[in-house]
Amino acid sequence: MIIDAWISKSKRHLEICELYFNMEDYPFIINSCFLAMYSVIKALFVLKNIECKTLEGLIYLLKINYVDEDLFDKNLFKFFCNIKELNSEFLQINWDIFDEKIAMETFNNTKIFIDYSKDLLNDLSKMEPRKFISGQIINF
């Protein structure tokens, strides 16, 4: 199942974070946390038959299909958006801003994000499909 593949990918990214902690490569933890959350969001999108091609589209569709529908916690959504911005710093090789404290907070909150999302996936997968499938396709 595609959802299981995305969840498995998310789990692998979290496991990689632990390796980066052991090596004290804190900037890479931010990137792996971001990818773990991205993967679980993609699983949520599969469940609702939502497709998107860009990161901005993903954020927009998460907001309108989950956050605005009170299906997804607003604070966790804000956390994801903040980590997206931190990940942009990582991609620009602006690594001076990352330290152990930021990495640990990000990692711990990412685990909360993943657990929350997996619980939501379980709850939604028990619902009758026509009650939650939106079928939106956005090309940003």
Side-chain angles (χ1 to χ4, degrees):
M1 178 178 235
I2 296 172
I3 291 173
D4 293 335
W6 281 113
I7 295 299
S8 177
K9 193 171 191 173
S10 177
K11 182 180 176 182
R12 282 194 312 274
H13 286 298
L14 284 179
E15 290 168 354
I16 290 168
C17 284
E18 293 174 12
L19 295 173
Y20 287 137
F21 269 115
N22 291 337
M23 297 184 298
E24 297 182 4
D25 279 336
Y26 304 121
F28 293 93
I29 293 167
I30 304 302
N31 182 251
S32 291
C33 285
F34 172 76
L35 292 172
M37 289 185 288
Y38 174 86
S39 297
V40 80
I41 290 170
K42 292 294 279 187
L44 286 168
F45 281 16
V46 169
L47 187 64
K48 288 184 85 171
N49 198 27
I50 300 169
E51 295 182 33
C52 71
K53 298 185 182 208
T54 67
L55 181 55
E56 294 306 318
L58 180 117
I59 291 170
Y60 172 74
L61 291 170
L62 178 62
K63 182 177 182 320
I64 67 169
N65 287 285
Y66 284 95
V67 177
D68 291 350
E69 298 292 323
D70 291 326
L71 293 173
F72 200 88
D73 184 83
K74 287 177 175 64
N75 289 325
L76 288 176
F77 174 73
K78 289 177 188 173
F79 171 70
F80 175 73
C81 292
N82 289 338
I83 297 306
K84 175 206 166 261
E85 294 304 317
L86 274 179
N87 192 58
S88 294
E89 296 293 325
F90 167 81
L91 295 173
Q92 296 174 27
I93 312 178
N94 186 10
W95 294 351
D96 296 343
I97 64 171
F98 302 111
D99 60 16
E100 183 177 9
K101 182 179 181 233
I102 289 173
M104 184 59 76
E105 287 174 2
T106 300
F107 180 70
N108 289 333
N109 286 322
T110 297
K111 289 193 298 188
I112 292 168
F113 184 98
I114 301 295
D115 290 342
Y116 176 88
S117 298
K118 285 172 31 179
D119 289 344
L120 178 61
L121 271 167
N122 288 333
D123 291 346
L124 290 177
S125 66
K126 295 173 188 172
M127 292 176 65
E128 191 174 338
R130 69 176 175 269
K131 290 184 180 176
F132 64 89
I133 292 180
S134 68
Q136 294 185 18
I137 299 174
I138 302 287
N139 295 316
F140 280 93

